[in-house]
């Protein structure tokens, strides 16, 4: 049976949230502190590490059933990833899609991918 594991999807992607937040801000305010993007990646990396150790690790410790080792990608997860990825690439290149919505679409894609993962235990 196919379950929709929304808690696993939200927790499993905590490390990516700083990345999506910075990209959304960069798209929304292009003439801002993000104009010199040389320092943006190290900042994202640092905030991702902070998110990992202050949010992700405690969440897994308090709820071991959300550990990545308990899940595998289902056929639906793979289909969502492939179709969503192709759709996003098509939107970017065919429609010259350049908008904060692209980052929301990417975030939705990774959340849906994990929401359809199989719980092996």
């Amino acid at each position: 049976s196919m379950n929709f594991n929304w808690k696993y999807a939200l927790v499993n992607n905590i490390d990516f949230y700083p990345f999506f937040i910075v990209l959304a801000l960069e798209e929304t305010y292009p003439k801002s502190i993000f104009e010199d993007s040389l320092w943006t990646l190290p900042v994202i990396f640092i905030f991702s590490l902070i998110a990992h150790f202050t949010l992700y690790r405690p969440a897994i410790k308090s709820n071991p059933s959300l550990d990545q080792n308990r899940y595998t990608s289902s056929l639906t997860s793979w289909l969502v990833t492939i179709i969503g990825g192709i759709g996003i690439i098509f939107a970017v290149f065919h429609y010259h899609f350049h908008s904060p919505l692209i980052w929301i679409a990417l975030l939705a894609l990774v959340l849906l991918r994990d929401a359809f993962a199989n719980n092996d235990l």
Side-chain angles (χ1 to χ4, degrees):
S1 70
M2 184 168 43
N3 292 328
F4 194 76
N5 303 306
W6 62 272
K7 281 184 191 175
Y8 170 68
L10 289 173
V11 169
N12 190 46
N13 291 291
I14 285 173
D15 297 354
F16 294 122
Y17 298 155
F19 175 73
F20 288 114
I21 291 166
V22 168
L23 288 173
L25 288 171
E26 188 176 31
E27 287 287 325
T28 308
Y29 307 105
K31 299 266 186 257
S32 67
I33 58 173
F34 302 108
E35 199 164 24
D36 178 20
S37 60
L38 188 62
W39 64 271
T40 306
L41 282 176
V43 168
I44 292 171
F45 181 73
I46 290 165
F47 278 110
S48 291
L49 281 175
I50 292 168
H52 182 80
F53 289 105
T54 63
L55 299 170
Y56 177 77
R57 284 259 178 103
I60 297 302
K61 195 170 186 175
S62 67
N63 197 344
S65 67
L66 297 177
D67 192 323
Q68 288 178 347
N69 296 329
R70 295 174 175 258
Y71 290 84
T72 55
S73 293
S74 66
L75 177 60
T76 308
S77 289
W78 280 108
L79 289 174
V80 163
T81 304
I82 292 166
I83 294 168
I86 291 169
I88 289 170
I89 291 167
F90 184 76
V92 168
F93 289 106
H94 189 264
Y95 293 110
H96 306 289
F97 190 61
H98 187 67
S99 152
L101 293 176
I102 193 73
W103 307 114
I104 295 167
L106 283 168
L107 178 59
L109 183 61
V110 297
L111 291 173
L112 280 172
R113 176 202 65 201
D114 288 342
F116 288 111
N118 289 327
N119 187 337
D120 294 335
L121 296 178

